[in-house]
């Protein structure tokens, strides 16, 4: 059982940067693999990035490689998504998710979800 709350979304110009945070409740945050997903208006939800329990392994969707960085601070029960060189097509609602089993790129493999935070990139 974990409760997730995202923050840090907002409006940014193309080429700019934004850092999203996902704060988790509970005492077992370090036992969860974490992921970020996004959904743009009229589009299907898509995988963005995932990170292992200790933060030693990460995985990214090809379209964000080199621009986005996922990280976590288990002492703070928080996972982050640093987004640089933002493009208009990055505009979406970004959600964090947690699973105790393994890193995953499919949304249905995650057990817990946050409410999401809006990221809007102006062109």
């Amino acid at each position: 059982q974990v409760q997730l709350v995202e923050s840090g979304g907002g409006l940014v110009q193309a080429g700019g940067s934004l850092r999203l945070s996902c704060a988790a409740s509970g005492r077992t945050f370090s036992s969860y693999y974490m992921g970020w997903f996004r959904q743009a208006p009229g589009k299907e939800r898509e995988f963005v990035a995932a990170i292992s329990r200790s933060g030693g392994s990460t995985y990214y969707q090809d379209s964000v490689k080199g621009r986005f960085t996922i990280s976590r601070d288990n002492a703070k029960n928080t996972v982050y998504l640093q987004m640089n060189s933002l493009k208009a097509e990055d505009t979406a609602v970004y959600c964090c998710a947690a699973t105790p089993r393994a890193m995953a790129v499919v949304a249905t493999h995650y057990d817990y979800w946050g409410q999401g935070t809006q990221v809007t990139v102006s062109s």
Side-chain angles (χ1 to χ4, degrees):
Q1 301 179 154
V2 59
Q3 194 166 340
L4 306 173
V5 180
E6 302 94 338
S7 62
L11 176 65
V12 64
Q13 292 187 345
S17 298
L18 209 58
R19 188 181 76 159
L20 306 183
S21 298
C22 174
S25 65
R27 303 187 302 172
T28 59
F29 176 71
S30 62
S31 69
Y32 291 93
Y33 299 85
M34 300 295 296
W36 284 97
F37 291 78
R38 66 186 182 186
Q39 186 168 26
K43 302 291 185 180
E44 295 295 314
R45 180 171 52 189
E46 67 175 353
F47 169 79
V48 177
I51 190 166
S52 61
R53 292 169 295 181
S54 67
S57 297
T58 58
Y59 189 78
Y60 300 91
Q61 181 196 114
D62 287 343
S63 67
V64 307
K65 287 181 180 177
R67 300 190 298 121
F68 290 11
T69 302
I70 187 171
S71 62
R72 67 193 296 163
D73 186 339
N74 288 344
K76 297 181 178 179
N77 276 22
T78 303
V79 62
Y80 305 95
L81 184 67
Q82 178 67 47
M83 305 183 294
N84 298 327
S85 302
L86 282 162
K87 305 174 180 179
E89 51 262 46
D90 294 318
T91 295
V93 173
Y94 284 71
C95 295
C96 64
T99 175
R101 292 180 290 277
M103 282 207 302
V105 301
V106 179
T108 55
H109 291 181
Y110 287 83
D111 302 299
Y112 307 103
W113 293 82
Q115 293 286 80
T117 185
Q118 176 71 231
V119 172
T120 302
V121 184
S122 61
S123 59

